[in-house]
Amino acid sequence: GTDGVEGFEIVTHLRTKNSYTKAVLMTAHGTDDVRDEAFRRGVDAFLEKPLPLGEVVRVVASLLAV
């Protein structure tokens, strides 16, 4: 999150404003429930830290190629 706003809230707001923007949620607290909620709210990719930068780049590039 940012400025006290959690990532789920940001994604929900983003989806109400623009359904075409790609959303990637990255967390250090990934659980099955968190992942499921992220996709329910509309994320395009769910990444768990730590993750090599090359993998982040691969995921983002694949989303941009669509």
Side-chain angles (χ1 to χ4, degrees), residues 8-24 38-45 63:
F8 287 152
E9 295 173 51
I10 293 169
V11 171
T12 299
H13 180 75
L14 174 68
R15 288 294 169 241
T16 64
K17 299 295 181 188
N18 183 341
S19 62
Y20 299 106
T21 299
K22 301 297 183 187
V24 177
F39 282 112
R40 187 183 73 71
R41 296 214 187 198
V43 299
D44 297 289
L63 291 173

Side-chain angles (χ1 to χ4, degrees), residues 37-63:
E37 181 67 11
F39 282 112
R40 187 183 73 71
R41 296 214 187 198
V43 299
D44 297 289
F46 180 82
L47 306 176
E48 293 183 53
K49 298 175 190 175
L51 192 66
L53 184 57
E55 183 63 15
V56 175
V57 170
R58 186 195 67 72
V59 169
V60 171
S62 72
L63 291 173

Side-chain angles (χ1 to χ4, degrees), residues 19-42:
S19 62
Y20 299 106
T21 299
K22 301 297 183 187
V24 177
L25 188 105
M26 181 179 253
T27 183
H29 306 288
T31 64
D32 289 343
D33 290 340
V34 171
R35 184 193 65 238
D36 293 347
E37 181 67 11
F39 282 112
R40 187 183 73 71
R41 296 214 187 198

